[in-house]
Amino acid sequence: MAVQPEFGYVVLTAFASVLVHHVYMTFNVARARKKFNVKYPALYADKTENKDAELFNCVQRGHQNSLENYPQFLACLILAGLSYPITSAITGVVYLIGRIVYFAGYATGDPSKRIRGAFFNFAMLFFYGLVVKSALLMLKSAR
């Protein structure tokens, strides 16, 4: 199996995911940490010591949730991208837009607003189908 030239779009999408998860979200958590006076190494603010704990914790939780799901996103992006590079790249962009909207909603301090970006879940479901379809295509060509 040869890697298609269009796989470059998958690589660019993977790089864009670094910008979303490790630049945009990290910058916003650092800004919230400073604004709400949450010192390192505390991962979350203590509600008994910080009146803004809920606001900071929402920002932090939005980032943490995205990082918790990041490995499966990258795996699906790359594995599906081997057979369907353009479709995978587009699906990856939809996922990343969903993650940005999810994070921005969560960061408002009202956790229910994170649901606005929940469409990233549809992108993941689509990725699961692409990965299975890609695997079956590979197995078929092995015969």
Side-chain angles (χ1 to χ4, degrees):
M1 176 176 181
V3 175
Q4 300 173 42
E6 293 85 1
F7 192 78
Y9 293 117
V10 173
V11 174
L12 288 173
T13 305
F15 178 70
S17 75
V18 170
L19 297 177
V20 168
H21 290 92
H22 300 295
V23 176
Y24 169 71
M25 290 183 190
T26 299
F27 174 78
N28 279 283
V29 170
R31 190 170 66 188
R33 187 175 285 282
K34 184 176 180 179
K35 179 179 179 180
F36 301 122
N37 196 31
V38 179
K39 305 289 185 212
Y40 288 103
L43 188 58
Y44 292 99
D46 185 339
K47 293 177 184 179
T48 62
E49 298 175 10
N50 188 324
K51 66 179 178 53
D52 297 314
E54 186 75 18
L55 293 169
F56 174 78
N57 291 345
C58 283
V59 175
Q60 177 71 332
R61 187 68 203 126
H63 187 212
Q64 283 297 123
N65 180 269
S66 294
L67 291 177
E68 290 162 2
N69 290 280
Y70 192 47
Q72 74 176 4
F73 163 73
L74 284 178
C76 287
L77 174 68
I78 292 166
L79 293 173
L82 290 170
S83 297
Y84 305 102
I86 294 174
T87 304
S88 293
I90 292 168
T91 304
V93 169
V94 170
Y95 175 88
L96 292 174
I97 292 168
R99 276 294 173 185
I100 291 168
V101 174
Y102 177 92
F103 176 79
Y106 219 151
T108 65
D110 179 357
S112 67
K113 290 183 180 176
R114 74 189 192 283
I115 301 305
R116 297 174 182 164
F119 61 88
F120 72 81
N121 288 304
F122 295 111
M124 282 310 301
L125 289 172
F126 191 72
F127 264 137
Y128 298 152
L130 280 179
V131 168
V132 170
K133 190 174 179 183
S134 183
L136 294 174
L137 182 68
M138 290 176 196
L139 291 170
K140 183 179 176 183
S141 67
R143 293 182 196 176

